[in-house]
Amino acid sequence: MTSKEIKDLSQDQLKEQIAQERERLLRLKFAHAISPIENPLRIRTSRKEIARLLTELSAKSNQQ
């Protein structure tokens, strides 16, 4: 998801995306603990995506 796409989301959509990304990160961590996943960098990108979404959510909540 690009930064422009993130900025265009509403607060409710951001919260939904954060929940989805957290669920994805949890599944990736479990899969990696059981057997090493093919691309472990997906865990890092998922964490960074969550951080981007949270940053945008806090920026939008501070504006209102």
Side-chain angles (χ1 to χ4, degrees):
M1 200 174 236
T2 64
S3 61
K4 175 151 177 47
E5 291 172 338
I6 292 174
K7 288 180 190 281
D8 291 340
L9 296 175
S10 69
Q11 285 186 350
D12 292 333
Q13 291 172 328
L14 283 170
K15 289 177 185 176
E16 289 175 19
Q17 286 290 329
I18 290 168
Q20 289 175 359
E21 279 295 321
R22 283 185 173 160
E23 180 66 30
R24 180 174 167 227
L25 178 61
L26 187 64
R27 280 188 264 117
L28 282 172
K29 283 183 177 181
F30 281 140
H32 187 63
I34 294 170
S35 64
I37 57 177
E38 186 175 316
N39 187 1
L41 291 179
R42 291 191 309 180
I43 294 173
R44 184 185 303 169
T45 57
S46 184
R47 281 197 323 253
K48 287 185 176 188
E49 186 70 23
I50 292 169
R52 286 185 195 102
L53 292 166
L54 286 171
T55 300
E56 186 59 33
L57 182 61
S58 68
K60 286 187 184 234
S61 65
N62 286 340
Q63 287 178 352
Q64 295 178 353

